[in-house]
Amino acid sequence: MSKNVLVISTSLRKNSNSEQLATAFADGAREAGHNVVEISLRDKTLGFCRGCLACQKTLQCVIKDDANDIVEKMGKADMLVFATPIYYYEMCGQLKTLLDRANPLFPTDYNFREVYLLATAADEEANAVGGARKGMEGWVACFPKAQLKDVLFCGGVTGAREIEGNEALVRARLMGNS
Ligand SMILES: Cc1cc2nc3c(=O)[nH]c(=O)nc-3n(C[C@H](O)[C@H](O)[C@H](O)COP(=O)(O)O)c2cc1C
């Protein structure tokens, strides 16, 4: 069955490694016949959540910026895919800010059931993604109809474009296709 897949790339770097993982996943999902929308935060403006909780009643954020449209798309998608660079052994701040801004979805009948996390880091050790995984698990746990289906980590990539030719891109494509 064809699903609506939203792939969100959160690195602001040009020729980003994690964005290439996101693109490979999106390509695989399209090959499988899914409807895929790709978003990059590079050209977006997202303010920090102010914690006012107005959104829990109004289902709208009091901040008017690009997060609102992205969050609306998140709520309507069947599958969410987040790509992040590892910053200080955690997800990057841009992704954390987006997850916080998705708080208007908390009291809603959101659609998404599957969440994927894609991450890159300079460190080659598999546990370099542990902090980001834990953060994403915490967010997904607050949306009990959804589950974190898989985490794909590619270590050993520091410079922009360094991921080119890496077998992780094949794994990302297969993950999107499965
Ligand atoms: C602020 C900052 C913090 C970083 N922290 C880590 C880190 O804790 N561990 C690590 O292995 N790499 C770290 N890196 C390297 C990036 O994770 C790595 O270059 C990654 O491939 C960047 O992905 P991108 O090209 O998608 O932005 C850091 C990079 C920056 C800019």
Side-chain angles (χ1 to χ4, degrees), residues 11-20 84-90 120-124 128 153-154 157-161:
S11 174
L12 306 186
R13 178 157 77 161
K14 205 174 162 200
N15 300 312
S16 140
N17 293 315
S18 54
E19 186 170 25
Q20 289 190 53
T84 181
I86 296 297
Y87 285 177
Y88 292 100
Y89 294 96
E90 250 293 4
T120 57
D123 194 332
E124 289 181 2
F153 173 66
C154 176
V157 289
T158 306
R161 280 209 177 113

Side-chain angles (χ1 to χ4, degrees), residues 38-175:
E38 287 177 81
I39 294 176
S40 166
L41 297 191
R42 191 173 297 115
D43 54 347
K44 302 286 191 292
T45 303
L46 275 77
F48 295 125
C49 173
R50 296 178 189 161
C52 67
L53 293 177
C55 62
Q56 300 304 288
K57 286 186 182 151
T58 64
L59 308 184
Q60 306 266 321
C61 185
V62 295
I63 307 170
K64 300 304 170 203
D65 63 13
D66 293 326
N68 303 309
D69 180 53
I70 300 171
V71 168
E72 191 182 334
K73 286 185 169 69
M74 285 170 64
K76 290 180 178 165
D78 302 309
M79 186 191 296
L80 301 178
V81 184
F82 297 105
T84 181
I86 296 297
Y87 285 177
Y88 292 100
Y89 294 96
E90 250 293 4
M91 67 178 72
C92 68
Q94 302 87 266
L95 177 52
K96 182 65 171 77
T97 297
L98 176 62
L99 296 183
D100 293 345
R101 290 292 304 283
N103 207 35
L105 296 177
F106 183 70
T108 68
D109 188 22
Y110 54 90
N111 269 350
F112 56 91
R113 297 292 180 268
E114 297 171 35
V115 179
Y116 289 82
L117 177 66
L118 315 174
T120 57
D123 194 332
E124 289 181 2
E125 294 296 322
N127 62 8
V129 76
R133 178 198 293 270
K134 191 161 179 278
M136 188 56 71
E137 281 171 352
W139 186 79
V140 174
C142 296
F143 295 92
K145 288 183 284 185
Q147 57 175 314
L148 181 60
K149 287 287 281 187
D150 215 343
V151 177
L152 193 159
F153 173 66
C154 176
V157 289
T158 306
R161 280 209 177 113
E162 203 174 325
I163 200 169
E164 281 176 10
N166 195 298
E167 56 79 34
L169 295 173
V170 178
R171 284 193 283 133
R173 193 175 189 130
L174 289 173
M175 194 179 269

